Amino acid sequence: MASVVPLRGLVIFLCLLHLCVQGIQDVNTVCLAKMTQYFYDKVQPKTKEGADAQYALSIYLPPAYCVDSKTEIKNKFDNDDAAQVKALLNKGAKCVLCTEPKNVIASRPVLIDKKNTEHSEHVLLYPVGKSPMDKLLAKTREKDSCVVFYSYNSPCVKTCLQSADNILEGLRNWINKRKGKMNAFVFQEIWQKDIDEDLETEFKKIDAIVPLYRCMRNSQQEMKCRKCVDNNVVVSFCLPNRK
């Protein structure tokens, strides 16, 4: 019996080590680049003037789709599903598990009244406990999912991050339900009105809750992604290009 105790201790140690490794595993930026390019090509809604419109989308996928660069997101979110989501967004409607796999939620900003708009990220994350995000998370299985939250623009500082109606509690609700799992918050463009804001401080607020990434097209129109915070420093890739 004496040898059982050390063996049991070893088993517990290995289990804890496995959970730690799971908890710190980063999403592959090549996978994120492929996802973001697909969202841009297949889902991106337009304004009446034909410009790219702000929207947010969240999807859950098998973990391989977040770590194996050979995977193709269209196998879990195909062209027909993407077209369905895009059509809803272009009509001003939202998608709450609207596709057959029931693995996607998406929304554009929602007009509350003539002066106020609920931002797209907030639409998906609230009300906490009954949000579209909560419905999406209820569909995920603990051990075999990766959840990616994508916003075309970075969350605006004034409303999304600093106001009493900010999105941070919604992000915490998401991560509290998925501790130790693969999660990523991704944005593409810097919100134009935030160019002169202290984005380093604001982006750290998000990254302290969920890993923050930026994906954007380079001069060759290739989508590239980077993790935004490294050793508590926000990398220049995720900040405005001030000339």
Side-chain angles (χ1 to χ4, degrees):
M1 289 295 293
S3 62
V4 174
V5 175
L7 180 59
R8 182 180 300 167
L10 178 62
V11 170
I12 293 172
F13 171 76
L14 291 174
C15 288
L16 289 173
L17 179 61
H18 176 66
L19 289 174
C20 290
V21 170
Q22 279 191 323
I24 62 173
Q25 186 174 19
D26 286 338
V27 174
N28 186 333
T29 53
V30 176
C31 294
L32 282 184
K34 292 171 69 174
M35 282 185 215
T36 306
Q37 185 66 58
Y38 187 80
F39 297 156
Y40 188 78
D41 292 341
K42 304 296 183 180
V43 182
Q44 179 66 51
K46 300 290 184 179
T47 64
K48 293 180 180 179
E49 295 73 29
D52 294 334
Q54 165 60 16
Y55 81 105
L57 176 153
S58 190
I59 185 169
Y60 82 81
L61 298 159
Y65 286 78
C66 289
V67 294
D68 183 355
S69 60
K70 295 179 181 178
T71 55
E72 297 291 341
I73 187 174
K74 64 182 179 181
N75 293 330
K76 295 298 179 181
F77 181 41
D78 65 25
N79 289 337
D80 290 341
D81 289 336
Q84 181 179 349
V85 175
K86 182 175 182 177
L88 287 172
L89 293 174
N90 277 327
K91 290 190 296 185
K94 60 185 176 182
C95 165
V96 180
L97 308 178
C98 62
T99 62
E100 184 60 32
K102 299 189 182 301
N103 64 340
V104 174
I105 56 174
S107 180
R108 289 176 72 165
V110 174
L111 189 65
I112 300 173
D113 53 45
K114 293 182 178 180
K115 294 182 178 180
N116 298 291
T117 300
E118 184 179 10
H119 293 209
S120 53
E121 304 97 318
H122 196 277
V123 173
L124 297 186
L125 293 167
Y126 288 81
V128 170
K130 297 181 180 180
S131 68
M133 191 65 163
D134 286 298
K135 293 177 181 178
L136 179 75
L137 296 179
K139 295 288 184 180
T140 67
R141 288 182 291 177
E142 283 191 11
K143 296 181 179 179
D144 64 350
S145 60
C146 170
V147 173
V148 175
F149 190 105
Y150 168 80
S151 176
Y152 177 71
N153 285 306
S154 58
C156 67
V157 169
K158 183 178 179 181
T159 300
C160 292
L161 298 176
Q162 291 185 350
S163 77
D165 205 27
N166 66 65
I167 65 171
L168 300 178
E169 183 185 356
L171 295 179
R172 292 188 191 97
N173 175 60
W174 161 21
I175 297 307
N176 284 340
K177 292 185 175 183
R178 288 184 50 79
K179 289 180 179 178
K181 309 300 187 297
M182 280 190 290
N183 307 285
F185 189 114
V186 187
F187 72 92
Q188 185 168 330
E189 304 298 327
I190 301 288
W191 173 234
Q192 58 185 357
K193 294 183 180 180
D194 284 348
I195 297 298
D196 296 322
E197 296 285 350
D198 180 9
L199 291 176
E200 293 187 52
T201 296
E202 301 305 325
F203 286 169
K204 285 180 184 179
K205 289 181 183 178
I206 299 174
D207 190 75
I209 303 170
V210 55
L212 179 66
Y213 297 80
R214 184 184 187 185
C215 295
M216 66 175 177
R217 290 166 295 165
N218 61 20
S219 57
Q220 288 76 43
Q221 298 302 301
E222 298 170 326
M223 194 69 76
K224 299 293 183 181
C225 301
R226 289 279 306 275
K227 194 171 187 298
C228 287
V229 181
D230 183 21
N231 290 323
N232 204 38
V233 175
V234 178
V235 299
S236 61
F237 183 89
C238 295
L239 296 171
N241 183 19
R242 298 188 178 96
K243 296 182 179 180

